[in-house]
Amino acid sequence: MRLLISFLLPWLTFFTIGRPFAGLFCLVMQLTLIGWIPAVIWSVYALGQYKTDKKIEKALAQAK
């Protein structure tokens, strides 16, 4: 679901992963037509990093 949001409303993705300041900056980027594509790429990349971080946290929690 977040991946779909990343393509349609990139700035909203940052709010769902707990990065509101990045979300505001992404919204400013998205307001320009040229900035839309970098905003989408950035939000998909950030979402991938978020998922990786969650997997690492889960693995470390299980190791304890």
Side-chain angles (χ1 to χ4, degrees):
M1 185 65 170
R2 284 185 176 150
L3 188 58
L4 181 62
I5 293 172
S6 291
F7 285 108
L8 300 176
L9 299 170
W11 59 272
L12 188 60
T13 302
F14 289 102
F15 285 98
T16 64
I17 63 175
R19 296 179 59 193
F21 294 112
L24 290 175
F25 184 72
C26 188
L27 178 60
V28 171
M29 283 179 56
Q30 186 179 347
L31 290 176
T32 65
L33 193 58
I34 296 170
W36 186 281
I37 293 173
V40 169
I41 293 169
W42 182 29
S43 69
V44 170
Y45 175 76
L47 183 60
Q49 292 296 324
Y50 174 76
K51 288 181 180 181
T52 301
D53 290 344
K54 289 299 177 185
K55 288 178 185 177
I56 291 171
E57 287 176 10
K58 183 178 176 182
L60 289 175
Q62 288 178 352
K64 289 184 178 183

